[in-house]
């Protein structure tokens, strides 16, 4: 953290939020751009928190080869204050997740990943941060679809009974009740503001009950919700159970945006998404890099840190295992929304290659 004269800084509270980074350590903004943005804000504001809404350890080869450990090292270097579980934090198995949890300095919170028999939470459901003379409570909610949208290993006991639960009973009413209990509890403990960090997402399917919009409509007493999971880009106001409008924000994926939630000294809350890190007034410690055919400002030390981690796998990553006569692209258009993967909408050359390899290995016809 830069040397600061606190008397000259603004008392507004800044909460930087990221989601669904999916190992995009140097994609577009990158963690080095995030670090630069954080340092620049720390020159103006006394209180700058950094939070992540899940799906960070999976999504590229660096996460896979290290089983998430390299990403945790990066998050520790950035200095995250809060982090929650996304469904893909389970992809390398529970043992790997527990290892990442121990290595992550801020640890994980999750209110609804529970043991099935007694409904006891496996991680802390919430955390209260004292920021100046204010207390901010962060409560975490993970999509109940994690059983279906991750590789959650060892989910049954010897009798075939499920070991874990995401509080989906009564069409998620158990989940809503649990979250409301935590809201009321942190308020009783003196929380001035309550923020939900959720990995559920909003979508257009009216039959999907596992969404952030549904969650908000069944709870009250929340000041903002920082969303994730669906890789969408929005900051909008939605109504809670009592009709109060609160911000719901999601930044997309792969650090294509940084979310900035501001709590002003008068209590007013604002929300914006930053798609480009502004050019710093003081260039010391900042460098320009080219990403997505565009020059971008990033933090120099963080950039070196990221390249060191990437370089630690260079031997394995640079080994040639074969050639293809075709471009094995994954995006419908790499210049548009990053989440529009071909594999989600159509057949692809890479999908055909993998499928043919599996068919050959298994000596199967279909």
């Amino acid at each position: 953290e830069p040397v600061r004269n606190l008397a000259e800084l603004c008392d507004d509270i800044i909460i930087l939020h990221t989601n669904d980074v999916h190992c995009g350590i140097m994609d577009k903004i990158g963690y080095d751009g995030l670090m630069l943005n954080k340092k620049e804000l720390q020159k103006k504001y006394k209180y700058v928190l950094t939070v992540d809404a899940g799906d960070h350890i999976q999504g590229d080869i660096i996460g896979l080869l290290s089983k998430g450990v390299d990403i945790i090292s990066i998050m520790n270097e950035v200095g995250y204050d809060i982090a929650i579980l996304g469904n893909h934090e389970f992809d390398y198995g529970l043992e790997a997740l527990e290892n990442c949890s121990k290595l992550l300095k801020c640890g994980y919170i999750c209110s609804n990943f529970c043991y099935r028999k007694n409904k006891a939470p496996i991680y802390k459901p919430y955390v209260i941060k004292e920021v100046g003379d204010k207390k901010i409570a962060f409560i975490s909610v993970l999509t109940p679809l994690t059983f279906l949208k991750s590789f959650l290993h060892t989910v049954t006991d010897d009798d075939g009974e499920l070991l874990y639960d995401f509080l989906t009973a009564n069409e998620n009413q158990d989940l809503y009740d649990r979250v409301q209990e935590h809201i009321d509890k942190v308020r009783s403990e003196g929380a001035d503001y309550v923020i939900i960090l959720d990995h559920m997402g909003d979508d257009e399917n009216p039959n999907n009950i596992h969404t952030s919009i549904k969650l908000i409509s069944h709870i009250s007493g929340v000041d903002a919700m920082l969303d994730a999971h669906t890789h969408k880009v929005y900051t909008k106001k939605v109504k809670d159970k009592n009709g109060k409008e609160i911000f719901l924000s999601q930044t997309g994926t792969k650090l294509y945006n940084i979310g900035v939630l501001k709590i002003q000294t008068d209590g007013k809350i604002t929300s914006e998404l930053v798609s480009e890190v502004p050019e710093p007034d003081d260039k010391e410690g900042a460098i320009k890099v080219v990403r997505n055919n565009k020059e971008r400002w990033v933090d120099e030390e963080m950039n070196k840190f990221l390249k060191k981690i990437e370089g630690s796998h260079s031997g394995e990553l640079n080994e040639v295992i074969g050639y293809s006569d075709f471009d094995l692209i994954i995006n419908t258009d790499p210049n548009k929304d990053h989440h529009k993967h071909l594999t989600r909408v159509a057949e692809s050359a890479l999908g055909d290659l993998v499928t043919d390899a599996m068919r050959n290995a298994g000596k199967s016809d279909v």
Side-chain angles (χ1 to χ4, degrees):
E1 185 174 325
V3 177
R4 306 184 297 163
N5 184 349
L6 295 180
E8 298 177 353
L9 302 181
C10 179
D11 285 325
D12 292 348
I13 300 167
I14 301 295
I15 301 172
L16 294 177
H17 60 98
T18 58
N19 61 268
D20 299 283
V21 178
H22 286 295
C23 302
I25 66 173
M26 288 187 283
D27 283 29
K28 197 182 178 185
I29 290 175
Y31 279 115
D32 44 5
L34 172 64
M35 179 65 100
L36 179 63
N37 196 40
K38 178 180 178 179
K39 286 182 177 180
E40 289 300 299
L41 288 169
Q42 286 174 330
K43 295 176 183 177
K44 301 175 184 178
Y45 298 93
K46 288 182 184 178
Y47 314 112
V48 179
L49 300 179
T50 312
V51 305
D52 185 84
D55 276 8
H56 39 262
I57 67 172
Q58 175 271 357
D60 211 326
I61 197 72
I62 289 176
L64 178 64
L65 292 177
S66 69
K67 292 189 175 180
V69 170
D70 283 347
I71 304 302
I72 298 301
S73 297
I74 294 169
M75 294 178 69
N76 285 339
E77 191 74 10
V78 171
Y80 275 87
D81 298 281
I82 309 287
I84 76 168
L85 298 173
N87 51 294
H88 287 294
E89 263 63 71
F90 294 84
D91 281 5
Y92 310 130
L94 291 175
E95 186 176 335
L97 172 56
E98 184 59 24
N99 183 48
C100 287
S101 176
K102 290 177 180 177
L103 293 173
L104 183 62
K105 290 180 180 178
C106 67
Y108 286 118
I109 59 172
C110 187
S111 67
N112 66 314
F113 176 43
C114 307
Y115 293 108
R116 179 176 173 271
K117 289 186 177 180
N118 59 10
K119 308 303 182 194
I122 296 170
Y123 292 89
K124 290 191 301 183
Y126 63 84
V127 66
I128 298 177
K129 290 284 186 181
E130 293 193 16
V131 185
D133 61 352
K134 301 296 183 183
K135 290 183 177 180
I136 305 177
F138 295 89
I139 303 171
S140 163
V141 183
L142 173 60
T143 174
L145 296 176
T146 295
F147 274 136
L148 304 177
K149 299 202 173 189
S150 76
F151 302 102
L152 185 52
H153 304 277
T154 321
V155 297
T156 59
D157 60 20
D158 294 337
D159 298 322
E161 294 289 331
L162 285 173
L163 291 169
Y164 308 107
D165 186 41
F166 293 97
L167 302 179
T168 57
N170 304 313
E171 294 190 322
N172 281 350
Q173 190 60 50
D174 284 10
L175 169 61
Y176 306 144
D177 292 344
R178 176 67 64 90
V179 174
Q180 189 64 58
E181 286 175 13
H182 292 315
I183 295 169
D184 297 340
K185 190 170 188 299
V186 297
R187 289 291 188 186
S188 71
E189 294 177 11
D192 297 287
Y193 299 98
V194 178
I195 295 174
I196 299 286
L197 286 171
D198 83 282
H199 198 89
M200 296 179 74
D202 179 27
D203 65 20
E204 293 83 14
N205 181 359
N207 297 318
N208 183 7
I209 66 171
H210 308 298
T211 69
S212 52
I213 294 289
K214 291 286 187 182
L215 174 60
I216 291 174
S217 69
H218 286 82
I219 59 177
S220 61
V222 173
D223 296 293
M225 182 176 287
L226 306 181
D227 203 8
H229 185 52
T230 47
H231 298 190
K232 292 189 175 183
V233 179
Y234 50 71
T235 181
K236 57 188 177 182
K237 284 196 170 182
V238 295
K239 292 182 179 180
D240 71 3
K241 182 179 180 180
N242 295 333
K244 174 187 173 183
E245 287 192 332
I246 68 170
F247 276 110
L248 174 70
S249 302
Q250 187 177 175
T251 69
T253 184
K254 296 276 187 179
L255 285 172
Y256 265 47
N257 295 281
I258 300 170
V260 182
L261 189 76
K262 180 190 290 187
I263 303 175
Q264 298 179 178
T265 53
D266 61 3
K268 181 181 178 181
I269 296 176
T270 63
S271 174
E272 67 171 320
L273 300 178
V274 175
S275 60
E276 302 290 344
V277 175
E279 179 179 345
D281 295 329
D282 182 1
K283 306 296 190 298
E284 184 177 357
I287 59 172
K288 273 185 178 180
V289 298
V290 176
R291 289 178 189 156
N292 306 89
N293 300 315
K294 190 171 185 178
E295 286 189 333
R296 306 177 190 277
W297 285 98
V298 301
D299 181 73
E300 184 176 15
E301 287 301 314
M302 193 65 192
N303 182 260
K304 290 179 180 177
F305 186 83
L306 297 176
K307 286 183 175 178
K308 182 179 178 181
I309 285 185
E310 190 174 63
S312 67
H313 300 293
S314 60
E316 191 167 1
L317 294 177
N318 292 332
E319 180 185 353
V320 177
I321 61 172
Y323 296 92
S324 168
D325 293 329
F326 302 93
D327 290 333
L328 304 180
I329 60 173
I330 64 169
N331 289 343
T332 52
D333 186 340
N335 296 315
K336 292 186 177 179
D337 290 345
H338 197 87
H339 69 278
K340 293 187 181 298
H341 296 308
L342 278 176
T343 51
R344 299 192 176 190
V345 296
E347 195 168 317
S348 69
L350 181 57
D352 288 343
L353 173 64
V354 173
T355 306
D356 287 343
M358 295 171 66
R359 187 172 63 175
N360 183 68
K363 297 180 174 56
S364 58
D365 297 314
V366 178

